[in-house]
Amino acid sequence: MADLEKIMKEENIVYKKTKVLTDNVMHYCPGCSHGVVHKLIAEVIEELGIQDKTIGISPVGCSVFAYNYIDIDWQEAAHGRAPANATATKRLMPDKFVFSYQGDGDLASIGAAETLHACNRGENITMIFINNAMYGMTGGQMAPTTLVGMKTSTTPYGRNIDLNGYPMKMTEIVASLPGTCYVTRQSVHDAASVKRCKKAIKKGFENQAKKIGTSFIEITSTCNSGWKMPPVEANKWMEKHMFAYYPQGDLKDAERDNPDDYIKYIK
Amino acid sequence: MGELKLMKGNEVIAEAAIRCGCDGYFGYPITPQSEVMETLMARKPWETTGMVVLQAESEVASINMVYGGASCGKKVMTTSSSPGISLMQEGITYIAGAELPCLIMNCVRGGPGLGTIQPAQSDYFQACKGGGHGDYHLIVLAPSSVQEMNDFVNLGFELAFKYRNPAMILSDGAIGQMMEKVELADYKPRWTDEEIEKISGDWATTGKKANRKQHIITSLELDSEIMEKLNHKLQAKYKKMEEEEVRYEEIQCDDAEYIFVAYGSSARICQKSIQIAREKGIKVGLLRPITLYPFPTKPIQKLAEKVKGMLSVEMSAGQMVEDVRLAVNGKIPVEHFGRLGGIIPSPIEVVEALEQKIIGGK
Amino acid sequence: MAKIKGAVKVDIEKCKGCGLCVEACPTKTLDLSKEVNSKGYNYAYMADPDSCIGCANCALVCPDSVITVYKTKI
Ligand code: SF4
Ligand code: SF4
Ligand code: SF4
């Protein structure tokens, strides 16, 4: 124990909660990926020194209260419309850092149009996409990203393609749009993936300063409440099943397409 | 005297926006108001004043872009026509709930549904009684000339910022498409960051400085006790508007025995109808509400004490007439006359309606 | 010979007992306590303090950011 006292001194701290996170207790279920991603965004904001220049747009869904946890200015958007808020905010204040934070119901279902068009215009924003294959807040209904066979409260016998269509790979769709510069799929289920994800988020923010297009970061996540699994088991289930359908890693790391390449068609 | 120009109502909205220092316009094409965005795109204000103009992917996106821009303390606006305004209602109630200033112009066309592209006044209920969900009001201005289209852009922004509330210009296809001589306002520069800090510095999302708390723009509150308080705060604001912001015009009301109540295009028709009626010996005047919300209830009450009847003339099946009746409260007969489906009533039709429904109906 | 030694401090009241840190720890330092905090969660604690190497894996995966990590040479 004497040892512990020697170790646990201020000067020996190698990791602590960033000050950009508030002291509020998060309302998320134990083990929910949202908390980890919030932390990473906050750490990136701290490291880049942009707390006074960052505006977050929160969605409707479990992360509607994201503004209670990251100590920056926030707008709480209408369901699915965060990219529209972000578009105007960034265009009117081009020197600020603007990011949207949305779940799969918000971004891929009701807000699919806003998502695609913001990416297609190449808005200089960072879009954070939490894909846990389910509507968490409303109690575990099917999302566009729900895997086939996955049981949810609106697919009690498992998602069926004839009835419900195919699980939507939003990130692949977005990667095919010329306005995006950086599109990646990450996760936060273990220490290594957390570190990788943080790098990705940081890159997404740095791209804003370079004004090279939209950065889109999917974080394949768990919703242990909706999935009805303990957090550790949910992570394992995600690795086994979600990663197979939603492969991890960068899909695109470039700049938005060169506008000059497009003018030739009417020349 | 400002610069005089012959312009279309819709074009003037664009011109006035640039001149009043508007920061951003977000819109989607729809007849009969597409000239607003077309004029802006041709004028390229981003090269002169720095105003942002963006064609969004839908009306839903436009209004939420307005929501985002308004959250930053910027002077932002959108315009559309009836079906598009219906799509915007969700965004509008969020903006009202979050208490943000912005300007929306509805160039009304006949409905319901896709309806017609001809002028109508059938969106009165939608504009004045909410439109979206929840207890809220817009400030609603009803121009009846191209000059007023011009003037109400600046006035709309002023009122919107004074009350932190969305303002709507309720125009119609006739006013939007009509060409008239208009005296344009002088150019006002857009607000600087410092000015925005002064005007909206205690709420706008401009980036959290070290010396202040977070600014959070939201309409969400799960605690019912607090939500009720927020609602009371909104209601107090509306009450203040009702006391201080009522605008209207009275034409030949002094000796009138009968009154037309009409706004926008209908008010123009009624002015002609007054002439015709007076030639026939019928003493009729016009009360023209300029603010539809807050509604000129008191002036109508006053007139009801001295006239024999009122005819609410609207290009609708009878919407504003409900507010006229509420104001008159049974004292004198109040009837409605209007044409539907995009038809503008003729001045003679209006006089005949007065004779049949009010004078003959006694 | 100098040895790397680590330790963690868990903000017990804010811990939600999700167990992700326990799973992430390479040295099996952590476990969930039999005791609960005032919210009823079995909070995480150093069950084997000697084994901690201060790698911060636990803190990285903690969704509620309640772990502070210390590391030093002894
Ligand atoms: S319902 Fe799912 S997504 Fe929502 S907080 Fe709980 S675990 Fe997280
Ligand atoms: S990961 Fe965090 S919240 Fe979960 S048990 Fe460990 S310390 Fe507690
Ligand atoms: S710092 Fe590393 S070794 Fe120590 S408890 Fe955390 S994960 Fe285990």
Side-chain angles (χ1 to χ4, degrees):
Chain A
M1 271 302 153
D3 255 11
L4 271 186
E5 265 165 38
K6 259 188 241 160
I7 305 167
M8 292 168 86
K9 284 185 193 152
E10 195 66 24
E11 65 263 28
N12 293 338
I13 290 179
V14 289
Y15 190 98
K16 65 170 186 195
K17 176 174 134 339
T18 159
K19 284 202 185 69
V20 178
L21 280 178
T22 65
D23 289 330
N24 295 329
V25 177
M26 294 192 186
H27 71 288
Y28 301 116
C29 308
C32 176
S33 312
H34 277 305
V36 186
V37 180
H38 284 16
K39 169 174 70 183
L40 297 184
I41 294 171
E43 287 177 358
V44 165
I45 290 172
E46 180 174 35
E47 283 169 25
L48 296 176
I50 54 172
Q51 189 176 11
D52 60 341
K53 293 190 196 71
T54 305
I55 289 110
I57 319 286
S58 73
V60 173
C62 282
S63 45
V64 63
F65 288 123
Y67 51 73
N68 284 336
Y69 311 126
I70 305 180
D71 189 20
I72 52 167
D73 283 357
W74 282 92
Q75 299 168 19
E76 198 290 297
H79 197 18
R81 319 299 174 216
N85 286 61
T87 294
T89 301
K90 182 71 182 186
R91 288 202 179 221
L92 290 160
M93 304 191 299
D95 298 330
K96 309 281 169 170
F97 291 80
V98 181
F99 73 95
S100 55
Y101 188 105
Q102 301 174 268
D104 39 44
D106 197 81
L107 179 141
S109 189
I110 193 164
E114 285 75 15
T115 302
L116 296 184
H117 287 279
C119 289
N120 192 52
R121 286 189 302 264
E123 300 294 345
N124 281 308
I125 56 173
T126 308
M127 297 178 68
I128 309 283
F129 170 34
I130 306 295
N131 175 13
N132 57 21
M134 195 164 282
Y135 283 75
M137 190 191 225
T138 43
Q141 293 84 3
M142 181 192 70
T145 47
T146 299
L147 296 181
V148 171
M150 214 172 157
K151 287 186 176 146
T152 72
S153 64
T154 51
T155 55
Y157 308 106
R159 181 176 187 153
N160 170 319
I161 290 176
D162 289 338
L163 198 59
N164 311 113
Y166 300 85
M168 207 159 161
K169 293 186 174 181
M170 221 40 201
T171 305
E172 275 77 355
I173 297 171
V174 155
S176 74
L177 296 173
T180 50
C181 61
Y182 177 51
V183 181
T184 185
R185 190 181 273 126
Q186 301 286 333
S187 65
V188 291
H189 64 293
D190 59 20
S193 66
V194 170
K195 286 183 196 157
R196 277 197 303 271
C197 185
K198 182 169 163 187
K199 274 198 192 126
I201 293 173
K202 196 168 190 177
K203 185 176 205 152
F205 275 81
E206 285 166 346
N207 285 344
Q208 290 198 39
K210 297 187 200 154
K211 304 196 193 308
I212 54 173
T214 311
S215 299
F216 186 97
I217 300 154
E218 169 179 336
I219 294 122
T220 315
S221 301
T222 62
C223 170
N224 45 73
S225 292
W227 295 5
K228 301 189 171 48
M229 288 175 204
V232 172
E233 197 187 312
N235 272 340
K236 297 208 161 109
W237 195 92
M238 173 177 75
E239 280 183 81
K240 189 161 173 219
H241 303 286
M242 295 277 283
F243 288 5
Y245 191 76
Y246 298 116
Q248 299 291 295
D250 290 354
L251 287 87
K252 185 178 192 177
D253 184 4
E255 291 192 2
R256 72 183 173 120
D257 283 11
N258 186 347
D260 293 341
D261 294 344
Y262 285 77
I263 191 71
K264 62 184 180 209
Y265 295 100
I266 60 153
K267 270 210 173 134
Chain B
M1 185 102 182
E3 189 183 341
L4 287 178
K5 249 188 161 170
L6 188 66
M7 285 181 94
K8 254 191 187 184
N10 287 333
E11 292 167 355
V12 124
I13 292 279
E15 188 63 36
I18 298 170
R19 287 174 182 247
C20 83
C22 178
D23 293 301
Y25 172 95
F26 306 91
Y28 185 80
I30 183 170
T31 309
Q33 63 78 53
S34 296
E35 297 86 354
V36 180
M37 189 163 40
E38 287 166 357
T39 305
L40 283 168
M41 290 297 185
R43 286 278 268 107
K44 294 199 276 188
W46 52 91
E47 289 181 356
T48 52
T49 71
M51 176 183 178
V52 168
V53 186
L54 187 64
Q55 177 169 342
E57 62 270 30
S58 66
E59 286 92 348
V60 174
S62 329
I63 192 67
N64 286 288
M65 288 174 185
V66 167
Y67 180 21
S71 300
C72 306
K74 300 279 185 180
K75 265 188 184 177
V76 287
M77 65 183 291
T78 185
T79 63
S80 188
S81 178
S82 310
I85 297 286
S86 292
L87 270 173
M88 289 184 186
Q89 291 305 329
E90 179 200 36
I92 295 175
T93 167
Y94 272 68
I95 293 170
E99 291 198 83
L100 296 175
C102 73
L103 183 65
I104 304 153
M105 192 273 283
N106 181 1
C107 188
V108 182
R109 59 189 244 186
L114 199 48
T116 166
I117 58 169
Q118 302 304 325
Q121 295 180 313
S122 41
D123 295 355
Y124 177 92
F125 282 155
Q126 188 197 49
C128 300
K129 310 283 169 180
H133 59 279
D135 282 309
Y136 75 92
H137 282 291
L138 308 178
I139 299 159
V140 184
L141 299 167
S144 77
S145 64
V146 176
Q147 185 65 52
E148 282 188 337
M149 287 287 256
N150 175 77
D151 301 347
F152 290 178
V153 171
N154 191 50
L155 176 63
F157 273 125
E158 264 176 31
L159 293 173
F161 274 87
K162 179 171 174 190
Y163 290 95
R164 274 187 66 180
N165 201 71
M168 176 177 274
I169 297 177
L170 192 71
S171 160
D172 63 58
I175 308 266
Q177 294 299 325
M178 157 195 310
M179 272 199 141
E180 277 184 331
K181 198 165 72 178
V182 52
E183 183 189 347
L184 298 169
D186 293 337
Y187 284 92
K188 270 199 286 189
R190 287 173 50 233
W191 287 332
T192 60
D193 289 352
E194 291 70 39
E195 284 169 313
I196 289 175
E197 186 61 33
K198 246 195 216 154
I199 296 161
S200 312
D202 53 350
W203 55 267
T205 57
T206 51
K208 180 195 168 302
K209 318 286 172 296
N211 62 358
R212 71 154 165 85
K213 286 211 164 72
Q214 287 175 280
H215 289 170
I216 298 165
I217 301 294
T218 181
S219 55
L220 173 68
E221 177 50 66
L222 294 182
D223 182 330
S224 300
E225 296 287 336
I226 302 177
M227 195 66 218
E228 187 181 47
K229 282 205 185 89
L230 291 174
N231 265 285
H232 283 318
K233 190 178 156 223
L234 288 182
Q235 292 305 318
K237 187 164 89 172
Y238 303 142
K239 194 151 190 293
K240 187 163 186 277
M241 289 179 198
E242 285 169 12
E243 276 157 15
E244 295 175 15
E245 303 301 344
V246 172
R247 287 166 171 77
Y248 62 97
E249 184 186 13
E250 283 186 5
I251 296 172
Q252 292 184 262
C253 288
D254 289 348
D255 64 342
E257 292 180 353
Y258 303 97
I259 294 291
F260 293 133
V261 185
Y263 66 94
S265 292
S266 294
R268 295 173 75 103
I269 311 294
C270 285
Q271 291 193 50
K272 188 82 192 146
S273 306
I274 290 175
Q275 263 179 27
I276 298 169
R278 286 195 175 248
E279 275 160 24
K280 284 180 146 186
I282 308 169
K283 284 187 184 159
V284 55
L286 167 68
L287 185 129
R288 177 172 79 91
I290 293 173
T291 50
L292 293 176
Y293 185 85
F295 190 71
T297 303
K298 280 183 192 146
I300 291 177
Q301 271 167 356
K302 256 203 184 141
L303 285 173
E305 280 163 18
K306 59 174 209 180
V307 303
K308 296 181 188 155
M310 290 190 186
L311 187 69
S312 181
V313 182
E314 313 162 54
M315 283 134 63
S316 76
Q319 299 191 12
M320 181 179 68
V321 65
E322 293 192 0
D323 286 331
V324 180
R325 285 200 175 114
L326 275 174
V328 167
N329 202 13
K331 269 211 171 79
I332 51 168
V334 176
E335 293 296 339
H336 160 261
F337 175 70
R339 296 293 304 267
L340 308 174
I343 297 176
I344 303 175
S346 75
I348 294 177
E349 273 183 296
V350 172
V351 176
E352 284 168 1
L354 177 73
E355 288 174 319
Q356 283 161 19
K357 295 188 170 201
I358 301 285
I359 302 173
K362 271 198 302 165
Chain C
M1 202 187 80
K3 213 178 137 209
I4 301 283
K5 284 286 292 170
V8 301
K9 193 163 88 200
V10 177
D11 186 340
I12 289 169
E13 271 311 304
K14 286 188 178 167
C15 169
K16 291 181 186 157
C18 70
L20 291 178
C21 55
V22 178
E23 180 74 12
C25 176
T27 58
K28 298 200 167 20
T29 304
L30 299 173
D31 205 349
L32 294 183
S33 135
K34 303 240 158 10
E35 314 282 305
V36 292
N37 62 18
S38 68
K39 303 247 168 58
Y41 290 125
N42 299 94
Y43 53 85
Y45 79 112
M46 286 203 287
D48 181 13
D50 277 346
S51 61
C52 177
I53 53 169
C55 69
N57 280 6
C58 53
L60 284 171
V61 300
C62 174
D64 290 88
S65 301
V66 298
I67 302 179
T68 307
V69 185
Y70 303 83
K71 186 160 126 178
T72 187
K73 277 194 190 132
I74 286 183

